[in-house]
């Protein structure tokens, strides 16, 4: 899967990739600015390939810019084993996407579609959380670029630039949880590692394709 594809509609790929994917900034907790971190985080700190402790469930929120598709969008959702749920709000429209037991669903405008065709699905952000797995292999021995604060939690960060785009990963110092991925179009914040709720199909009649 290309790292510039967003994988939250490819449940198995996302679960495999994410779950099995300077100085300390003293900001208010809204997110760390890597440029403001000055402590040297190399030393005994974890290398990128070993920093992330894998889990099989998590939740996330995010925002990204898609001017060609109506402007900014917000997303929220969760992953539980191979199942996933994502809610996308863009240009006043809300789309809900599910993958449960290998069956995909789209809910929009009061209608539900089971195994929809691609022209029914909303556009998605280009950066996939699963890129962590790809970059963790490529930059396995790289030390953190610094330490900062993300959502009131101390985090190592790695600024990865492959010549195409820069992606910054934030991993908690305590526990090795992926907290945030920043990319040119936006960012995704992660939480509830190992404690996200199971996912069930939409509670409504769905038109099957």
């Amino acid at each position: 899967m290309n790292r510039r594809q967003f994988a939250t509609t490819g449940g198995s790929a996302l679960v495999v990739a994410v779950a099995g994917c300077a100085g300390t900034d003293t900001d208010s907790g809204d997110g760390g600015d890597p440029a403001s971190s000055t402590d040297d985080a190399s030393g005994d700190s974890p290398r990128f390939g070993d920093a992330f402790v894998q889990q099989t469930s998590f939740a996330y929120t995010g925002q990204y810019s898609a001017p060609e598709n109506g402007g900014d969008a917000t997303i929220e959702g969760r992953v539980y084993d191979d199942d996933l749920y994502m809610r996308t709000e863009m240009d006043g429209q809300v789309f809900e996407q599910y993958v449960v037991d290998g069956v995909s669903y789209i809910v929009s405008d009061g209608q539900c579609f089971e195994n929809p065709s691609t022209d029914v699905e909303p556009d998605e952000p280009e950066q996939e959380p699963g890129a962590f797995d790809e970059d963790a292999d490529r930059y396995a021995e790289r030390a953190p670029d610094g330490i900062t604060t993300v959502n009131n939690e101390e985090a190592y960060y790695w600024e990865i630039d492959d010549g195409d785009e820069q992606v910054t990963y934030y991993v908690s110092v305590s526990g090795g949880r992926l907290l945030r991925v920043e990319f040119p179009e936006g960012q995704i914040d992660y939480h509830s590692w190992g404690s996200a709720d199971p996912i069930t199909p939409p509670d409504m009649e769905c038109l099957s394709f």
Side-chain angles (χ1 to χ4, degrees):
M1 179 174 291
N2 189 295
R3 73 174 302 215
R4 291 183 59 78
Q5 295 172 321
F6 186 69
T8 48
T9 55
S12 296
L14 180 60
V15 169
V16 170
V18 179
C21 169
T24 302
D25 181 6
T26 56
D27 66 9
S28 62
D30 292 333
D33 177 6
S36 69
S37 299
T38 56
D39 286 350
D40 181 4
S42 53
D44 295 330
S45 57
R47 296 308 184 252
F48 192 52
D50 299 321
F52 181 45
V53 176
Q54 298 183 5
Q55 300 282 346
T56 58
S57 69
F58 59 90
Y60 60 88
T61 61
Q63 53 277 326
Y64 65 97
S65 177
E68 70 281 6
N69 294 316
D72 295 338
T74 60
I75 59 172
E76 61 179 271
R78 65 189 188 277
V79 170
Y80 189 93
D81 292 335
D82 288 339
D83 299 335
L84 67 91
Y85 167 77
M86 181 171 74
R87 181 184 186 275
T88 303
E89 184 171 353
M90 176 187 290
D91 195 26
Q93 292 185 296
V94 175
F95 301 89
E96 293 179 286
Q97 301 173 261
Y98 301 74
V99 176
V100 182
D101 295 330
V103 180
S104 61
Y105 306 86
I106 295 289
V107 176
S108 179
D109 294 329
Q111 294 183 297
C112 176
F113 303 92
E114 181 179 329
N115 290 320
S117 59
T118 55
D119 59 349
V120 176
E121 299 181 9
D123 292 313
E124 299 152 356
E126 294 181 335
Q127 174 61 35
E128 59 167 13
F132 183 95
D133 193 61
E134 178 182 328
D135 284 341
D137 289 339
R138 183 180 302 174
Y139 304 101
E141 298 304 316
R142 179 167 167 176
D145 290 301
I147 300 175
T148 188
T149 302
V150 174
N151 296 328
N152 295 315
E153 188 164 357
E154 193 174 46
Y156 298 113
Y157 68 86
W158 287 262
E159 294 177 329
I160 305 297
D161 190 341
D162 63 2
D164 181 32
E165 65 179 3
Q166 178 172 300
V167 181
T168 303
Y169 298 97
Y170 300 86
V171 177
S172 64
V173 171
S174 174
R177 297 178 306 280
L178 182 63
L179 300 177
R180 174 175 294 171
V181 178
E182 292 178 347
F183 46 97
E185 296 85 3
Q187 71 179 43
I188 302 172
D189 287 333
Y190 300 92
H191 61 91
S192 301
W193 285 100
S195 61
D197 292 332
I199 298 164
T200 57
D203 186 18
M204 60 191 303
E205 185 176 347
C206 297
L207 178 64
S208 180
F209 282 79

